Amino acid sequence: MKPTLFRFLFFFFLLVAEVSFVSPLVAPFSIPLLLSSLVSLSLVRGFSFALPWALVTGILFDLTFSSQLGVSSLEYMGAVLLFGFASKRIALGQGRWKLIFFSIAVWILSIVFRMFEALLPFRSFQESIFFFESLSAGAWGLFAGSGIVSLLVFVLVFLLVRSFERYLSLFENMPLERASSL
Amino acid sequence: MKRRSFFSSRAGKSLLFGIVGVTVIFFIPSIVVSPFRTFFGTAALPFHNVLSFAAYHTRSIGSFFTSVGNLKQNYERVSAENLVLRGKNAALSEVERENEFLRRELGVLPRERFRLAASEVIAIDSTSSGTMIVNIGEEQGVRKGMAVVSGPGVLVGRIVETTTLSSSVLPLSNPKSVVNAVETATEAKGVVRGEYGTGLLFDMVLESDTVREGDDVVSSGLGGDIPRGLFIGNVTRIEPSSDRLFQKATLASPLRYDRLRFVFVVLDERR
């Protein structure tokens, strides 16, 4: 129970930190702090462990911003699944290269999620067309700019999540298997 | 040996749990979600307040150091702008005197136009919608659809959701945001929509209407709670739409929506 509560508080504080501290600080760039942490959890513990946390964290995010409940959960769960499978399949030699590869992948995924939200079925087709029309040079510039910061943040978040999970594994009978390979 | 199916494994069970969970959540009606939203919003409010306070102060310290190099350039620009504004001010003083005279003659009292509620932005969803959370809600009289302004009548967006102590603001820069607008000089009507990135688009303006670069665009007050006359931006570029029935123009907003800290909710318009 204790590790579960700690993990819940960890994701709750990450959520608050992302929307109330990081976002105003680095605006207009966006840093996917929660996405990075869930992907890190998936890499460290495996996707079956990270999936329920993706669901819970997504619900908390949607409750905060009054958006359609479940959209963020769906995105996070998709990311966790994708990275969970990918980490088994992809062999990139040294751990640091894997980390850089995954950090770039997280950044690309955060852009894909923006597009996914614009193309959700409960919004009109006309609006989806408008989204692609209005992806101005400024928007692409912002996406690119966010990339550099996102890469650094992912590496930091991964190290944080790995240390945190190592600490929590002392309370649980569940050793970390993948963390050592990264 | 009997082979176990995927869904009886731990990974399969997690996946099944996730799929069922999301499906159920998608179909929960908003009336059921609302109390949870209020509870979670209220519980998280102190943390949002503390961290947003820390973020704004950290940012202001950072901007101080980065702005030192630009001080000379800014001083020259501000001096030039000051000269222009002094000229305009002199002209407006004349208009003000004329306005006072007309009010006296007609027996109309001067008045504050709006009843405003001040608030602070405590959270921003910068990863997708740009939605902002402000620290006032239903308890302070905020309702869904109300206009949100910054400073002297510059439109920021509208309230899309309220809880007891906080509210969500959809900024004009979000592509979901649509506001009826009018160009002040030529009375050309259209809608202002958000553009991904940072811009605003003055769209659906009839091809027969005149739109000029540099002109002001304000809210028209049609079809909604947003009052007429709130400043939105200046026209920077005009282009015809592909169907040749309407024209659209890019607007330059005086605000950076993602950099706002204090905003005002228009509770009502004094009549």
Side-chain angles (χ1 to χ4, degrees), chain A residues 63-133:
Chain A
L63 282 177
T64 306
F65 283 104
S66 318
S67 42
Q68 170 73 37
L69 206 63
V71 174
S72 301
S73 296
L74 200 64
E75 290 175 354
Y76 291 153
M77 283 166 63
V80 161
L81 272 174
L82 189 71
F83 281 82
F85 282 122
S87 64
K88 281 182 180 173
R89 301 278 180 272
I90 296 167
L92 287 167
Q94 292 300 312
R96 85 178 85 114
W97 291 112
K98 265 190 189 175
L99 210 55
I100 291 168
F101 171 81
F102 284 125
S103 59
I104 293 169
V106 166
W107 166 59
I108 292 170
L109 204 64
S110 66
I111 297 170
V112 171
F113 284 163
R114 272 197 175 196
M115 297 190 178
F116 165 72
E117 282 185 23
L119 296 169
L120 272 177
F122 56 79
R123 295 184 59 188
S124 68
F125 178 71
Q126 194 62 37
E127 279 187 335
S128 307
I129 296 294
F130 177 75
F131 170 78
F132 286 106
E133 276 181 0

Side-chain angles (χ1 to χ4, degrees), chain A residues 36-48:
Chain A
S36 301
S37 61
L38 286 165
V39 165
S40 302
L41 187 68
S42 179
L43 293 174
V44 171
R45 289 282 199 186
F47 81 85
S48 57

Side-chain angles (χ1 to χ4, degrees), chain B:
Chain B
M1 194 177 135
K2 195 182 171 186
R3 206 179 154 199
R4 287 175 71 204
S5 73
F6 174 71
F7 285 106
S8 61
S9 65
R10 187 185 152 86
K13 278 177 190 165
S14 301
L15 191 60
L16 202 64
F17 166 75
I19 292 167
V20 173
V22 167
T23 314
V24 170
I25 288 162
F26 255 121
F27 293 103
I28 294 177
S30 59
I31 197 157
V32 178
V33 178
S34 202
F36 291 100
R37 208 160 253 169
T38 303
F39 172 75
F40 182 68
T42 313
L45 199 62
F47 301 103
H48 286 304
N49 276 329
V50 170
L51 282 180
S52 62
F53 180 82
Y56 291 121
H57 280 267
T58 312
R59 197 175 70 189
S60 62
I61 293 166
S63 353
F64 170 76
F65 286 110
T66 50
S67 65
V68 169
N70 299 325
L71 277 179
K72 191 173 177 290
Q73 281 177 338
N74 282 344
Y75 175 74
E76 283 166 4
R77 185 177 52 79
V78 169
S79 300
E81 276 179 13
N82 187 34
L83 277 178
V84 176
L85 289 173
R86 281 169 73 177
K88 280 188 181 172
N89 193 30
L92 284 172
S93 302
E94 188 57 38
V95 174
E96 196 181 348
R97 271 198 296 277
E98 192 181 303
N99 188 27
E100 273 174 28
F101 171 75
L102 288 171
R103 277 182 185 281
R104 255 199 320 272
E105 290 295 303
L106 293 167
V108 180
L109 292 171
R111 56 185 164 79
E112 289 293 318
R113 204 178 148 200
F114 302 117
R115 197 161 66 87
L116 303 172
S119 65
E120 187 178 0
V121 177
I122 53 167
I124 305 170
D125 174 15
S126 63
T127 52
S128 56
S129 62
T131 310
M132 294 180 269
I133 307 287
V134 292
N135 64 351
I136 56 171
E138 287 158 9
E139 211 162 75
Q140 288 80 17
V142 180
R143 298 282 175 272
K144 204 171 169 180
M146 284 178 168
V148 179
V149 295
S150 167
V154 182
L155 188 61
V156 172
R158 71 170 80 205
I159 302 286
V160 285
E161 191 79 42
T162 55
T163 65
T164 315
L165 294 171
S166 64
S167 313
S168 302
V169 180
L170 188 72
L172 288 178
S173 56
N174 186 298
K176 274 186 184 174
S177 161
V178 179
V179 172
N180 288 306
V182 61
E183 207 211 71
T184 49
T186 63
E187 288 286 318
K189 290 181 178 64
V191 293
V192 171
R193 315 181 67 158
E195 199 181 19
Y196 268 91
T198 49
L200 299 174
L201 207 63
F202 186 37
D203 203 1
M204 305 296 286
V205 182
L206 285 175
E207 193 69 40
S208 54
D209 286 349
T210 311
V211 182
R212 294 179 310 207
E213 282 184 19
D215 281 353
D216 295 345
V217 173
V218 298
S219 57
S220 68
L222 293 171
D225 296 322
I226 295 181
R228 187 186 165 89
L230 294 173
F231 183 69
I232 295 173
N234 300 103
V235 176
T236 51
R237 194 164 54 91
I238 306 150
E239 51 186 282
S241 64
S242 51
D243 53 18
R244 300 276 165 191
L245 288 172
F246 301 101
Q247 51 186 326
K248 55 185 175 184
T250 311
L251 302 182
S253 169
L255 300 173
R256 288 271 306 273
Y257 299 101
D258 48 16
R259 291 253 158 186
L260 291 170
R261 185 177 176 192
F262 297 106
V263 291
F264 302 88
V265 178
V266 179
L267 297 177
D268 53 45
E269 196 173 0
R270 288 182 176 139
R271 292 177 194 282

